[in-house]
Amino acid sequence: MPFDRESLALLDEALAVLADGFRHLPDVPRTAGMSELREPLLAAARRLQDNAPYHHPLYVGHMQKPPHPVARLAYTLALWLNPNNHAYDGGRASSVMEQEAIGEIARMVGWASSQGHLCSGGTLANFEALWVARELHPGKGIAASSQAHYTHERLSGVLGVSFRAIATDARGRMDPAALENALQDGTIGTVVVTLGTTASGAVDPLERILALRARHAFRIHVDAAYGGYFTLADNLDADTRQAFDCVAQADSIAIDPHKHGLQPYGCGCVLFRDPAVRRHYRHDSPYTYLSSDDPHLGEISLECSRPGAAAVALWATQRLLPLVAGGTFAQDLAAGRMAALALHRALAADTRFAPLSPPQLDIVVWAVRADTASQASLRARALHAAAGKHDLHLSLVALPQAMLEPHDPVRAWDAETIVCLRACVMKPEHREWMSEILARLDAAARTTGQESPQSR
Ligand SMILES: *Cc1c(COP(=O)(O)O)cnc(C)c1O
């Protein structure tokens, strides 16, 4: 049985406790009989079989990590009420739980008093931060590295501000010299610093970008949608640690609890260092906000309706797994990173592969060696498909020549990019599963005609 079902007994127990709070109300007859629910539910279960096993350690494809069981259960529990965290009227308890959970993420970042809330994901978190940045630096543009998430350029377009892509070094980190060049003409009002790029987990040198802020006035938004929680890990390399250690000096930050925070999708988070930014959200609504003098979450977030269930799930998860260095949550992040480092070592020792530099977080990227760039891309695609047949799920990423050249994957560059293999080694179980993952990778490579290194 790949999915635990014992936890459903706990859900039953918790629902009884929840029902107790509403016992005084007159009974309402059920609208749908259980037998009517059965057919569509089982049909949905059959349809869902057509998925990659995102929950399983043999899935190392994209940034998909199963929610913690307590998050899954708490989310489901809340659905019997389905609170709306737009306003206290819509979700009284869950709004307070959201503020408590957000407060813990802010403390992790190093902010005692800040402004923040949950939102649907990293894209919206970044959007709110860039919108506030535009309000504070009207007429100025946004810069992010060429490896930053693609949505920054798109969001700049939506906001009607110019976007500049800043070159990276060979490891995919923003090049501070290129940024300083771009800052000379005074048109950039905000710099997006990515702590953990989506493609390869590269961490921009935040401390050097902060040093530039002293000379050129600009805002710093940290996009840590994927990487933010790694500030708790105890096994970062020195450069990476240094970047995370100055994150409190940024102006805003996006962190996705649905990426590395063990939450179901629909849970992003944006935080602003200065609580006064809430003035940009000011608006009136004729039918809400009349019930309390405290600001409702809807008065400080861009979206209107938001799932209270997401806040309940996050709150319960953080109650079980506090966001503290040395805690279980932090150790699990560090375990995934150890597995990523082990994968990188194995790939570096294998003559068939040309991995990038050791991962800064827990994403490992490697090219398949070939004579030409286009052949390397074809080989990676073939290996990706063959691995899938061995139930090993990887992903693909196209990377520019500048990032791959130092690793010498090909003799001739007949294309500007190479499609590489990518593994998001995000589950703590990946540590025990690494030898199985490597065995399946080798078996898949042999079926594509890539001889084993020993046979050379
Ligand atoms: C995933 C990701 C995003 C987008 O977040 P969504 O939750 O998918 O909207 C933005 N930035 C980075 C660095 C990411 O990894």
Side-chain angles (χ1 to χ4, degrees):
M1 184 66 207
F3 300 114
D4 85 86
R5 294 189 338 210
E6 306 91 83
S7 63
L8 292 176
L10 283 177
L11 181 60
D12 191 51
E13 190 182 342
L15 264 176
V17 173
L18 177 60
D20 245 358
F22 301 89
R23 187 179 291 292
H24 58 286
L25 294 170
D27 233 8
V28 184
R30 274 211 210 108
T31 45
M34 285 301 133
S35 56
E36 292 165 52
L37 309 185
R38 192 162 183 274
E39 191 284 325
L41 190 63
L42 298 190
R46 282 189 294 271
R47 287 292 289 269
L48 284 170
Q49 290 177 353
D50 179 26
N51 265 307
Y54 309 115
H55 60 287
H56 197 280
L58 287 175
Y59 185 87
V60 271
H62 295 279
M63 291 173 178
Q64 292 187 235
K65 186 168 176 166
H68 193 280
V70 79
R72 211 164 52 205
L73 292 170
Y75 195 103
T76 311
L77 172 70
L79 289 184
W80 265 265
L81 283 169
N82 197 26
N84 182 341
N85 275 14
H86 169 63
Y88 290 112
D89 317 39
R92 195 160 53 232
S94 51
S95 289
V96 178
M97 291 160 96
E98 174 168 341
Q99 279 155 340
E100 290 173 15
I102 285 288
E104 282 169 39
I105 296 177
R107 261 191 296 285
M108 174 181 81
V109 170
W111 290 341
S113 71
S114 57
Q115 177 74 63
H117 54 269
L118 299 179
C119 55
S120 62
T123 305
L124 207 77
N126 286 325
F127 185 53
E128 293 197 29
L130 296 183
W131 167 61
V132 165
R134 184 195 69 179
E135 299 302 293
L136 289 165
H137 291 267
K140 299 252 173 134
I142 291 166
S145 91
S146 54
Q147 285 292 310
H149 199 265
Y150 71 92
T151 48
H152 291 290
E153 183 165 7
R154 174 190 281 181
L155 293 171
S156 301
V158 175
L159 289 166
V161 302
S162 64
F163 178 83
R164 290 270 278 279
I166 308 296
T168 69
D169 66 11
R171 296 185 67 177
R173 307 176 290 194
M174 183 186 282
D175 174 1
L179 175 62
E180 182 152 36
N181 254 337
L183 287 166
Q184 297 306 332
D185 65 10
T187 61
I188 293 172
T190 301
V191 175
V192 176
V193 177
T194 306
L195 298 190
T197 59
T198 316
S200 67
V203 174
D204 287 345
L206 179 56
E207 71 295 342
R208 295 185 57 194
I209 297 166
L210 281 162
L212 291 176
R213 188 172 66 172
R215 272 177 279 143
H216 308 264
F218 58 87
R219 236 180 121 73
I220 293 184
H221 170 61
V222 167
D223 181 0
Y226 143 69
Y229 288 106
F230 274 98
T231 190
L232 298 175
D234 63 4
N235 58 353
L236 302 180
D237 66 33
D239 283 358
T240 311
R241 183 75 261 167
Q242 193 176 28
F244 278 100
D245 281 350
C246 47
V247 76
Q249 295 173 60
D251 297 294
S252 55
I253 181 165
I255 296 181
D256 266 1
H258 73 200
K259 284 265 178 74
H260 245 314
L262 302 167
Q263 298 308 297
Y265 283 116
C267 194
C269 168
V270 61
L271 296 168
F272 297 93
R273 185 171 46 145
D274 179 7
V277 300
R278 74 162 54 149
R279 71 178 185 278
H280 299 291
Y281 288 90
R282 273 223 75 78
H283 65 282
D284 260 326
S285 163
Y287 36 79
T288 42
Y289 314 145
L290 303 172
S291 64
S292 140
D293 292 334
D294 290 340
H296 296 259
L297 288 167
E299 291 176 273
I300 52 170
S301 79
L302 203 57
E303 291 168 286
C304 180
S305 295
R306 290 177 313 116
V312 173
L314 184 62
W315 184 91
T317 307
Q318 292 180 179
R319 187 175 168 106
L320 177 68
L321 300 170
L323 301 178
V324 292
T328 303
F329 181 81
Q331 285 167 1
D332 282 354
L333 280 176
R337 186 170 144 66
M338 270 186 250
L341 290 170
L343 173 59
H344 181 271
R345 275 193 302 275
L347 294 167
D350 190 320
T351 49
R352 293 171 294 186
F353 304 126
L356 297 183
S357 305
Q360 285 191 270
L361 300 176
D362 60 9
I363 299 175
V364 180
V365 175
W366 68 102
V368 183
R369 290 188 192 280
D371 281 338
T372 66
S374 50
Q375 273 170 15
S377 294
L378 286 174
R379 285 188 176 181
R381 288 180 189 280
L383 181 49
H384 175 259
K389 293 208 179 88
H390 286 77
D391 286 321
L392 174 64
H393 300 272
L394 304 165
S395 53
L396 294 168
V397 60
L399 288 181
Q401 183 171 354
M403 279 180 74
L404 289 161
E405 220 158 24
H407 310 286
D408 231 7
V410 295
R411 278 188 256 281
W413 284 88
D414 62 344
E416 284 169 11
T417 61
I418 289 182
V419 175
C420 297
L421 289 152
R422 168 173 172 265
C424 294
V425 194
M426 296 176 85
K427 302 181 182 102
E429 301 82 23
H430 280 141
R431 213 153 53 128
E432 285 107 67
W433 281 76
M434 194 43 69
S435 53
E436 180 68 25
I437 289 169
L438 287 167
R440 286 176 191 242
L441 182 67
D442 179 53
R446 287 161 191 264
T447 65
T448 65
Q450 293 161 28
E451 55 197 298
S452 79
Q454 293 82 356
S455 65
R456 288 198 171 199

